[in-house]
Amino acid sequence: MDQISPYTLTLEVTGLNCGGCVRRAETALSEMPGTREARVNLATRKAEIEHDGSLTPAAVAARLQEAGYPASETTLVLDVEGATCGSCAARIEGAMTALPGVEEASFNLANGTARAKVLTGAVDMKDVVQAIEKAGYSAREASSGASASEQAEVRAEAETAGLRRDTLLAGALSLPVVVLAMGAHLVPGFHMLIENSIGMTASNVIQFLLTTLVLAWPGARFFRLGLPTIRHMAPDMNALVVLGTSAAWVYSTVATFAPGVLPEGAAHVYFEAAAVIVTLILAGRWMESRARGRASAAIRRLAGLQVREAMLRAPDGTLSPVPVSALQPGDMIALKPGDRLPVDGVVAEGTSDIDESMVTGEPIPVTRRPGDPVIGGTVNGAGALVMRATATGEDTVLARIMQAVDEAQGAKLPIQNLVDRVAQVFVPAVIAVALLTLAVWLLAGGGLGSAVVAAVSVLVVACPCAMGLAVPVSIMVGTGRASELGVLFRRGDALQRMQEAQVVAFDKTGTLTRGKPVLGGIAALGDEGEALAALAALEAQSEHPIGRAIVAGAEARGLALPQAEGVTAIPGEGLTGLVGGEEIRIGNRAFLRCDLPPELAAQAMEWENEGATVLYAEKLNQPLAVLAISDEIREETRAVIAALKARGLHPAMVTGDSQAAARHVAEELGIEHVRAEVKPTNKARAVEELRAEAGAVIFAGDGINDAPALAAADVGIAMGSGTDVAMEAAEVVLIGGDLRGVVTAMDLSRRTMSNIHQNLFWAFAYNVALIPVAAGLLAIWGGPMLSPMLASAAMAASSVIVVSNALRLRRVAPALTASAA
């Protein structure tokens, strides 16, 4: 695996509108001394910079500002306690401003409120709280302040509202211009009506005034963002709009006020083109902004699961409401029916059904009893509970899911590199084509007016917005939908690698099986119930999973357990103790001191051939019983293996279990490729062998011993019910531990990559097809010209189509339902 830089800066970037913007921003950041890698994502508006430790958020923000893509700022609001004087205020402000990424800081001693203006992504609430606490004061997020996710939503809503306002304003100003300019094409005699009433000169002046207002007011955003890129000789999409509308406006202004400067018969006005271009592009961005808001809905839904306040139970039993940010591991929290759990923990008192669907994707509530784990963000059912917090803040499952989804949505797939390279040269190439179009039309005698119209159409129709959005918006929607279905992509690029896989390899215990031993059978020389009760009495004093399986088997049969005394465990061998005053031993075959009768020996051999673990028991040095301990196959495993085969994939098993146990499970599931008795250190080698034999490998596992294989695989999938080590080594985590998520992840990968290819085809095909049309190629054979107005409408539609196509991924359903499994 690639070495990851220990220093990473993340900032939110503004002014990004197309793939060319992304490439220029990345280039500007990559050229900074100390940068190892820079990634900018158009859909999430985030820049990630891996560096050698020499860069600061302020330096990166300055470079982004210089490149024309300013970093976004956020204001954090905190409640501070312990400040009593002006020097306290100065100390608090100093502690905040000392943080890299804090632009401004202030503290109001009168109301105890601190405010920090920070570079979005570089500093979060936790950093500021810790800085203030180090200065000697207590701080927490203001109860009336917005969370970072809410602030992001507010910014997105403000952007959408601003685009809506500008679109409607531009439309209102442009409508009279279109009526005056195009009315004669729709209403017979309208031209004569204008000429005989206000006159054509007055009409042109009115169009000039209204169009100038459109460009200077709602259209100012294009000039504000586009002109700097032209000055830096790195034009972007905004530059195309600026050049196109300015060309139409300048030409029309000259035709209105100094027509004698133009060749005879060329004094035509095209104000309506400039005004409508701005209006339609604003409308397209408005619709695109709304669609992008829907694309990032997964993060907002996850953020909506967070709880602000919890009911803390003190040691004396009194309850008091406290901010969730103040909770610590070990705190006891009271929950009423219907309450959303504030943090992760374990049930301390009570029993209730918990709705975990919003986190795991599993719709059926699960019953939680004392000692069972519970997840923050889930909803308590009809029972009252008391839980003990085990993880708070950023350590909770929900916080880690949100962070992983956010990182995955900002990932750059290998396919994006091609798009970026194209986008880098696309805008300059378009400008060159527009100039060539202008020259060809003039040389061919088409007239200056027609030449300007064709050149403007080329500039407007070729906007690369759709090209830049094609990949990231699909990643956003695909990984967001995956999180809703209980599949967490920790790395977005796993989406592309997963759909290339040929082999899906599984660990056996805890992945294909439940990982919980159960009593599969007992054979005794005397009464089986009496023998099982005595053995369970011994095992009741053991913490071993096999011992618990024997006790559970006895309880399931309704057996009453006698009293066991003097129980002693011999590690790796078994247990010995007294039941009813008689010595009983249970363990492996070597632990027994007696010979087995033929009937018990035959039964033990049969169970061993079936892959079960066999225990042997004796009483008073005489054979008593043999027991089979088996690990049940998950109920969904058979359906998962069948589904993978139906998709043309090759299931495999890599396990440390015995050949007999592995072969038995593999035959039952229909898995042909089996590697058994593999030591943990050799599992990675087994994955590499599978890759050499059949191609790219996905490996799914749950234990610490699976971590090497998860890391060695092209894509590692960890069961959410497994260990933290396994989940850290994997690119994909099945949050609820449901194996059906493997198939869902595969389907989402294929659907997302297919969606990306559709978007890229549309974006490239659109430009390839319409640039020649805009240049007037069809006019050579008597065909139509593409007016700047239609060009702007087509350009706006292209981005909306790409985003709308990506949004179809929100309808992806789980690959297998519970009934199918």
Side-chain angles (χ1 to χ4, degrees):
M1 297 183 69
D2 296 337
Q3 184 176 4
I4 299 175
S5 170
Y7 300 103
T8 302
L9 282 174
T10 302
L11 297 179
E12 188 170 298
V13 185
T14 64
L16 298 174
N17 294 292
C18 63
C21 299
V22 170
R23 191 66 179 180
R24 277 180 289 278
E26 286 182 343
T27 300
L29 295 173
S30 298
E31 292 173 351
M32 297 184 72
T35 299
R36 293 181 178 175
E37 184 179 3
R39 299 181 294 273
V40 178
N41 187 283
L42 178 63
T44 62
R45 300 294 200 265
K46 286 187 177 179
E48 288 188 355
I49 307 94
E50 294 182 4
H51 60 100
D52 60 6
S54 63
L55 298 184
T56 64
V60 174
R63 176 55 66 93
L64 287 170
Q65 180 75 33
E66 181 182 342
Y69 308 102
S72 174
E73 295 179 339
T74 300
T75 299
L76 304 179
V77 184
L78 303 94
D79 291 330
V80 181
E81 295 178 357
T84 58
C85 62
S87 62
C88 293
R91 196 175 296 117
I92 291 169
E93 290 176 354
M96 291 190 290
T97 54
L99 288 172
V102 174
E103 300 289 277
E104 298 176 11
S106 63
F107 176 70
N108 188 316
L109 186 61
N111 58 20
T113 299
R115 294 180 180 274
K117 182 187 289 185
V118 304
L119 293 170
T120 308
V123 180
D124 60 19
M125 182 67 71
K126 181 180 179 182
D127 297 325
V128 181
V129 168
Q130 289 178 345
I132 294 175
E133 289 179 344
K134 284 183 180 179
Y137 307 91
S138 61
R140 64 175 182 272
E141 181 179 359
S143 56
S144 58
S147 67
S149 59
E150 289 171 336
Q151 290 183 19
E153 187 170 356
V154 168
R155 288 195 301 273
E157 290 175 351
E159 178 187 6
T160 302
L163 287 168
R164 177 180 182 274
R165 180 192 63 243
D166 288 349
T167 300
L168 296 178
L169 179 59
L173 293 171
S174 300
L175 181 60
V177 178
V178 174
V179 171
L180 290 173
M182 308 298 293
H185 297 285
L186 303 174
V187 181
F190 187 83
H191 180 81
M192 293 301 298
L193 175 64
I194 296 297
E195 190 169 354
N196 293 333
S197 54
I198 62 175
M200 296 309 299
T201 300
S203 172
N204 290 346
V205 171
I206 292 173
Q207 293 179 54
F208 162 78
L209 293 173
L210 292 174
T211 301
T212 302
L213 279 174
V214 171
L215 298 180
W217 195 351
R221 66 173 65 220
F222 299 112
F223 290 83
R224 184 172 62 253
L225 297 172
L227 288 176
T229 67
I230 296 174
R231 285 198 304 269
H232 290 99
M233 301 298 292
D236 65 354
M237 172 263 173
N238 295 290
L240 295 182
V241 177
V242 168
L243 293 173
T245 55
S246 297
W249 181 85
V250 170
Y251 184 90
S252 302
T253 300
V254 172
T256 298
F257 298 104
V261 175
L262 301 175
E264 185 177 352
H268 302 292
V269 296
Y270 301 98
F271 287 119
E272 82 285 353
V276 173
I277 285 171
V278 169
T279 301
L280 289 177
I281 294 177
L282 283 172
R285 288 196 180 179
W286 173 26
M287 290 183 285
E288 179 188 312
S289 179
R290 291 178 60 192
R292 273 208 313 268
R294 293 171 61 197
S296 59
I299 286 288
R300 292 201 303 275
R301 276 194 289 270
L302 288 170
L305 303 180
Q306 294 178 314
V307 181
R308 293 282 184 173
E309 195 172 72
M311 193 62 66
L312 182 66
R313 191 178 80 169
D316 62 2
T318 59
L319 302 178
S320 59
V322 297
V324 169
S325 58
L327 291 176
Q328 298 293 327
D331 285 346
M332 303 297 285
I333 303 161
L335 299 167
K336 302 188 302 297
D339 280 354
R340 193 176 293 278
L341 278 62
V343 293
D344 296 352
V346 295
V347 176
E349 299 175 15
T351 300
S352 183
D353 291 337
I354 305 292
D355 180 1
E356 299 182 348
S357 60
M358 61 287 295
V359 174
T360 65
E362 180 59 49
I364 302 174
V366 292
T367 302
R368 297 302 186 197
R369 300 179 177 84
D372 289 341
V374 287
I375 303 172
T378 57
V379 178
N380 183 28
L385 294 177
V386 175
M387 62 173 285
R388 184 179 71 256
T390 57
T392 60
E394 294 182 356
D395 296 327
T396 64
V397 169
L398 183 58
R400 289 161 63 189
I401 290 173
M402 289 179 63
Q403 180 183 1
V405 172
D406 189 50
E407 291 175 356
Q409 290 188 337
K412 176 171 287 187
L413 270 61
I415 196 173
Q416 180 74 52
N417 295 325
L418 170 64
V419 181
D420 290 346
R421 288 196 296 270
V422 173
Q424 186 178 23
V425 299
F426 188 79
V427 174
V430 168
I431 294 175
V433 171
L435 293 174
L436 179 64
T437 299
L438 180 70
V440 169
W441 272 89
L442 291 174
L443 293 174
L448 182 59
S450 297
V452 169
V453 169
V456 170
S457 296
V458 169
L459 289 171
V460 173
V461 81
C463 169
C465 284
M467 209 179 297
L469 285 169
V471 177
V473 76
S474 294
I475 296 173
M476 284 182 65
V477 181
T479 54
R481 179 56 179 157
S483 70
E484 295 170 357
L485 297 177
V487 178
L488 180 61
F489 281 89
R490 298 182 65 245
R491 292 176 61 93
D493 53 2
L495 274 170
Q496 183 167 343
R497 297 202 308 274
M498 180 169 278
Q499 57 98 36
E500 299 168 351
Q502 301 297 316
V503 179
V504 182
F506 298 89
D507 171 53
K508 184 178 81 71
T509 305
T511 304
L512 295 174
T513 66
R514 294 185 179 278
K516 297 180 180 179
V518 295
L519 178 63
I522 180 172
L525 290 180
D527 183 271
E528 288 185 358
E530 182 179 331
L532 180 57
L535 295 172
L538 284 183
E539 296 288 359
Q541 299 188 35
S542 168
E543 293 298 322
H544 197 282
I546 289 180
R548 291 196 294 269
I550 294 174
V551 173
E555 291 175 346
R557 289 168 171 77
L559 300 177
L561 305 188
Q563 184 67 36
E565 300 175 345
V567 178
T568 303
I570 292 84
E573 296 187 31
L575 289 176
T576 181
L578 299 177
V579 177
E582 299 177 321
E583 183 191 32
I584 294 181
R585 297 165 64 89
I586 179 172
N588 57 34
R589 182 68 185 87
F591 192 51
L592 256 65
R593 295 174 295 193
C594 62
D595 295 328
L596 285 178
E599 59 269 32
L600 291 187
Q603 182 63 73
M605 182 175 294
E606 180 182 340
W607 281 334
E608 285 179 344
N609 291 335
E610 292 175 355
T613 298
V614 177
L615 295 180
Y616 302 82
E618 65 180 22
K619 182 169 70 172
L620 299 177
N621 295 330
Q622 296 297 317
L624 175 62
V626 291
L627 300 88
I629 305 298
S630 59
D631 189 2
E632 289 183 334
I633 294 175
R634 290 173 179 265
E635 61 182 13
E636 71 268 21
T637 301
R638 292 176 179 81
V640 168
I641 299 301
L644 292 175
K645 286 185 172 182
R647 287 159 173 77
L649 296 163
H650 305 289
M653 182 194 298
V654 179
T655 178
D657 281 358
S658 67
Q659 287 284 353
R663 288 291 176 188
H664 176 74
V665 172
E667 290 172 5
E668 191 168 344
L669 296 175
I671 297 176
E672 292 86 8
H673 305 281
V674 180
R675 281 170 168 75
E677 299 179 2
V678 181
K679 296 180 180 179
T681 53
N682 293 331
K683 281 194 172 184
R685 185 186 305 166
V687 168
E688 292 167 358
E689 291 172 354
L690 285 171
R691 183 187 293 114
E693 292 175 9
V697 177
I698 294 171
F699 184 85
D702 72 315
I704 293 175
N705 61 333
D706 295 322
L710 290 167
D714 294 272
V715 177
I717 301 179
M719 310 298 288
S721 55
T723 66
D724 288 343
V725 174
M727 287 187 274
E728 287 301 319
E731 289 88 357
V732 181
V733 176
L734 307 183
I735 302 172
D738 192 324
L739 201 61
R740 289 171 291 182
V742 172
V743 188
T744 297
M746 293 292 302
D747 285 359
L748 269 165
S749 170
R750 294 185 176 185
R751 291 280 296 273
T752 302
M753 292 308 300
S754 174
N755 193 272
I756 287 173
H757 291 140
Q758 293 163 8
N759 284 348
L760 288 174
F761 173 80
W762 168 257
F764 283 108
Y766 156 84
N767 282 292
V768 169
L770 289 188
I771 288 178
V773 175
L777 186 63
L778 297 182
I780 297 176
W781 295 281
M785 292 283 292
L786 184 64
S787 75
M789 286 187 295
L790 290 178
S792 60
M795 184 280 296
S798 68
S799 295
V800 175
I801 289 173
V802 163
V803 177
S804 299
N805 184 50
L807 288 174
R808 294 191 303 117
L809 292 171
R810 295 178 65 189
R811 299 198 295 268
V812 174
L816 297 170
T817 62
S819 59

Short mmCIF file of all heavy atoms in Angstrom, two decimals, residues 517-519 532 535-555 561 575 586 615 627 629:
data_model
loop_
_atom_site.label_atom_id
_atom_site.label_comp_id
_atom_site.label_asym_id
_atom_site.label_seq_id
_atom_site.Cartn_x
_atom_site.Cartn_y
_atom_site.Cartn_z
N PRO A 517 -19.46 -20.47 18.69
CA PRO A 517 -19.60 -21.92 18.76
C PRO A 517 -20.95 -22.33 19.38
O PRO A 517 -21.46 -21.67 20.29
CB PRO A 517 -18.44 -22.35 19.67
CG PRO A 517 -17.46 -21.22 19.60
CD PRO A 517 -18.28 -19.99 19.43
N VAL A 518 -21.49 -23.41 18.85
CA VAL A 518 -22.74 -23.96 19.40
C VAL A 518 -22.56 -25.46 19.59
O VAL A 518 -21.73 -26.10 18.93
CB VAL A 518 -23.94 -23.69 18.47
CG1 VAL A 518 -24.23 -22.22 18.37
CG2 VAL A 518 -23.70 -24.29 17.09
N LEU A 519 -23.33 -26.00 20.52
CA LEU A 519 -23.28 -27.43 20.77
C LEU A 519 -24.01 -28.15 19.63
O LEU A 519 -25.22 -28.01 19.47
CB LEU A 519 -23.94 -27.78 22.12
CG LEU A 519 -23.99 -29.25 22.49
CD1 LEU A 519 -22.59 -29.81 22.65
CD2 LEU A 519 -24.80 -29.43 23.79
N LEU A 532 -24.79 -34.22 30.03
CA LEU A 532 -24.66 -32.84 29.56
C LEU A 532 -24.80 -31.85 30.72
O LEU A 532 -24.06 -30.85 30.79
CB LEU A 532 -25.70 -32.54 28.48
CG LEU A 532 -25.69 -31.13 27.90
CD1 LEU A 532 -24.32 -30.79 27.32
CD2 LEU A 532 -26.77 -30.98 26.83
N LEU A 535 -21.52 -31.85 32.69
CA LEU A 535 -20.45 -31.16 31.95
C LEU A 535 -20.70 -29.66 31.89
O LEU A 535 -19.76 -28.86 32.00
CB LEU A 535 -20.33 -31.75 30.54
CG LEU A 535 -19.90 -33.21 30.48
CD1 LEU A 535 -20.00 -33.76 29.06
CD2 LEU A 535 -18.48 -33.37 31.01
N ALA A 536 -21.95 -29.25 31.72
CA ALA A 536 -22.28 -27.82 31.68
C ALA A 536 -22.02 -27.17 33.03
O ALA A 536 -21.64 -26.00 33.11
CB ALA A 536 -23.75 -27.63 31.28
N ALA A 537 -22.18 -27.93 34.14
CA ALA A 537 -21.90 -27.40 35.46
C ALA A 537 -20.42 -27.03 35.57
O ALA A 537 -20.04 -26.01 36.17
CB ALA A 537 -22.28 -28.41 36.53
N LEU A 538 -19.56 -27.88 35.00
CA LEU A 538 -18.13 -27.56 34.97
C LEU A 538 -17.87 -26.32 34.12
O LEU A 538 -17.19 -25.38 34.53
CB LEU A 538 -17.33 -28.73 34.40
CG LEU A 538 -17.06 -29.96 35.27
CD1 LEU A 538 -16.18 -30.93 34.49
CD2 LEU A 538 -16.39 -29.58 36.56
N GLU A 539 -18.40 -26.33 32.89
CA GLU A 539 -18.12 -25.26 31.93
C GLU A 539 -18.73 -23.93 32.35
O GLU A 539 -18.30 -22.87 31.88
CB GLU A 539 -18.64 -25.66 30.54
CG GLU A 539 -17.96 -26.88 29.94
CD GLU A 539 -16.52 -26.59 29.48
OE1 GLU A 539 -16.07 -25.44 29.62
OE2 GLU A 539 -15.86 -27.53 29.00
N ALA A 540 -19.70 -23.96 33.24
CA ALA A 540 -20.33 -22.71 33.69
C ALA A 540 -19.32 -21.83 34.42
O ALA A 540 -19.51 -20.62 34.55
CB ALA A 540 -21.53 -23.00 34.59
N GLN A 541 -18.24 -22.44 34.91
CA GLN A 541 -17.21 -21.66 35.61
C GLN A 541 -16.04 -21.31 34.70
O GLN A 541 -14.99 -20.87 35.15
CB GLN A 541 -16.73 -22.46 36.83
CG GLN A 541 -17.85 -22.74 37.83
CD GLN A 541 -17.32 -23.35 39.11
OE1 GLN A 541 -16.23 -23.02 39.57
NE2 GLN A 541 -18.11 -24.25 39.70
N SER A 542 -16.24 -21.52 33.39
CA SER A 542 -15.20 -21.19 32.40
C SER A 542 -15.67 -20.01 31.54
O SER A 542 -16.86 -19.84 31.29
CB SER A 542 -14.93 -22.41 31.50
OG SER A 542 -14.15 -22.03 30.38
N GLU A 543 -14.73 -19.19 31.10
CA GLU A 543 -15.04 -18.06 30.23
C GLU A 543 -14.79 -18.38 28.76
O GLU A 543 -14.97 -17.53 27.90
CB GLU A 543 -14.19 -16.83 30.63
CG GLU A 543 -14.53 -16.26 32.00
CD GLU A 543 -15.96 -15.75 32.05
OE1 GLU A 543 -16.41 -15.18 31.04
OE2 GLU A 543 -16.62 -15.94 33.08
N HIS A 544 -14.39 -19.61 28.49
CA HIS A 544 -14.07 -19.98 27.11
C HIS A 544 -15.34 -20.04 26.26
O HIS A 544 -16.39 -20.50 26.73
CB HIS A 544 -13.37 -21.35 27.09
CG HIS A 544 -12.64 -21.63 25.82
ND1 HIS A 544 -13.30 -22.03 24.67
CD2 HIS A 544 -11.33 -21.55 25.49
CE1 HIS A 544 -12.41 -22.20 23.70
NE2 HIS A 544 -11.21 -21.91 24.18
N PRO A 545 -15.30 -19.58 25.00
CA PRO A 545 -16.50 -19.62 24.13
C PRO A 545 -17.07 -21.02 23.99
O PRO A 545 -18.29 -21.19 23.93
CB PRO A 545 -15.97 -19.10 22.79
CG PRO A 545 -14.79 -18.24 23.15
CD PRO A 545 -14.17 -18.90 24.34
N ILE A 546 -16.21 -22.04 23.95
CA ILE A 546 -16.72 -23.41 23.83
C ILE A 546 -17.48 -23.80 25.10
O ILE A 546 -18.53 -24.46 25.05
CB ILE A 546 -15.56 -24.39 23.56
CG1 ILE A 546 -15.04 -24.19 22.14
CG2 ILE A 546 -16.02 -25.83 23.77
CD1 ILE A 546 -13.89 -25.10 21.75
N GLY A 547 -16.97 -23.35 26.25
CA GLY A 547 -17.68 -23.61 27.50
C GLY A 547 -19.05 -22.96 27.50
O GLY A 547 -20.04 -23.57 27.93
N ARG A 548 -19.12 -21.73 27.02
CA ARG A 548 -20.43 -21.05 26.97
C ARG A 548 -21.38 -21.75 26.01
O ARG A 548 -22.59 -21.77 26.23
CB ARG A 548 -20.22 -19.59 26.56
CG ARG A 548 -19.51 -18.76 27.63
CD ARG A 548 -19.68 -17.27 27.37
NE ARG A 548 -19.00 -16.85 26.15
CZ ARG A 548 -17.74 -16.41 26.12
NH1 ARG A 548 -17.03 -16.37 27.23
NH2 ARG A 548 -17.19 -16.02 24.99
N ALA A 549 -20.82 -22.34 24.94
CA ALA A 549 -21.67 -23.07 23.99
C ALA A 549 -22.28 -24.30 24.65
O ALA A 549 -23.46 -24.63 24.43
CB ALA A 549 -20.85 -23.47 22.77
N ILE A 550 -21.51 -24.99 25.48
CA ILE A 550 -22.02 -26.19 26.17
C ILE A 550 -23.10 -25.79 27.18
O ILE A 550 -24.15 -26.43 27.28
CB ILE A 550 -20.87 -26.94 26.85
CG1 ILE A 550 -19.93 -27.51 25.77
CG2 ILE A 550 -21.39 -28.06 27.75
CD1 ILE A 550 -18.67 -28.15 26.34
N VAL A 551 -22.85 -24.72 27.92
CA VAL A 551 -23.85 -24.25 28.89
C VAL A 551 -25.13 -23.84 28.16
O VAL A 551 -26.25 -24.18 28.60
CB VAL A 551 -23.29 -23.07 29.71
CG1 VAL A 551 -24.38 -22.46 30.59
CG2 VAL A 551 -22.11 -23.52 30.55
N ALA A 552 -24.98 -23.11 27.03
CA ALA A 552 -26.17 -22.68 26.28
C ALA A 552 -26.93 -23.89 25.75
O ALA A 552 -28.17 -23.90 25.73
CB ALA A 552 -25.75 -21.77 25.12
N GLY A 553 -26.19 -24.94 25.34
CA GLY A 553 -26.85 -26.15 24.85
C GLY A 553 -27.64 -26.84 25.94
O GLY A 553 -28.75 -27.33 25.70
N ALA A 554 -27.12 -26.86 27.16
CA ALA A 554 -27.83 -27.47 28.27
C ALA A 554 -29.06 -26.66 28.63
O ALA A 554 -30.15 -27.22 28.89
CB ALA A 554 -26.90 -27.59 29.48
N GLU A 555 -28.91 -25.33 28.64
CA GLU A 555 -30.06 -24.48 28.96
C GLU A 555 -31.15 -24.60 27.91
O GLU A 555 -32.35 -24.57 28.22
CB GLU A 555 -29.59 -23.02 29.08
CG GLU A 555 -28.70 -22.77 30.31
CD GLU A 555 -28.16 -21.35 30.34
OE1 GLU A 555 -28.25 -20.66 29.30
OE2 GLU A 555 -27.64 -20.94 31.41
N LEU A 561 -28.70 -27.40 36.17
CA LEU A 561 -27.29 -27.70 36.36
C LEU A 561 -27.00 -27.97 37.83
O LEU A 561 -27.38 -27.19 38.71
CB LEU A 561 -26.44 -26.51 35.88
CG LEU A 561 -26.65 -26.06 34.43
CD1 LEU A 561 -25.60 -25.01 34.05
CD2 LEU A 561 -26.62 -27.24 33.47
N LEU A 575 -10.90 -29.08 31.29
CA LEU A 575 -11.32 -28.75 32.64
C LEU A 575 -11.45 -30.02 33.48
O LEU A 575 -11.78 -31.09 32.95
CB LEU A 575 -12.69 -28.05 32.63
CG LEU A 575 -12.83 -26.63 32.10
CD1 LEU A 575 -14.30 -26.23 32.11
CD2 LEU A 575 -12.02 -25.67 32.93
N ILE A 586 -13.18 -32.96 31.09
CA ILE A 586 -13.63 -32.70 29.72
C ILE A 586 -12.54 -31.90 29.00
O ILE A 586 -11.99 -30.95 29.55
CB ILE A 586 -14.98 -31.94 29.69
CG1 ILE A 586 -15.39 -31.67 28.23
CG2 ILE A 586 -14.95 -30.65 30.50
CD1 ILE A 586 -16.79 -31.11 28.07
N LEU A 615 -15.06 -32.69 21.72
CA LEU A 615 -14.59 -32.72 23.10
C LEU A 615 -14.88 -34.11 23.69
O LEU A 615 -15.90 -34.73 23.34
CB LEU A 615 -15.28 -31.64 23.92
CG LEU A 615 -14.98 -30.20 23.53
CD1 LEU A 615 -15.74 -29.24 24.46
CD2 LEU A 615 -13.50 -29.89 23.58
N LEU A 627 -18.67 -34.78 22.64
CA LEU A 627 -19.52 -33.65 22.24
C LEU A 627 -18.97 -33.01 20.97
O LEU A 627 -17.75 -32.90 20.78
CB LEU A 627 -19.59 -32.57 23.33
CG LEU A 627 -20.14 -32.98 24.70
CD1 LEU A 627 -19.00 -33.52 25.57
CD2 LEU A 627 -20.80 -31.79 25.38
N ILE A 629 -18.79 -29.57 18.81
CA ILE A 629 -18.96 -28.12 18.87
C ILE A 629 -18.80 -27.59 17.45
O ILE A 629 -17.75 -27.78 16.81
CB ILE A 629 -17.92 -27.46 19.79
CG1 ILE A 629 -17.97 -28.10 21.18
CG2 ILE A 629 -18.14 -25.96 19.87
CD1 ILE A 629 -19.30 -27.92 21.89
#
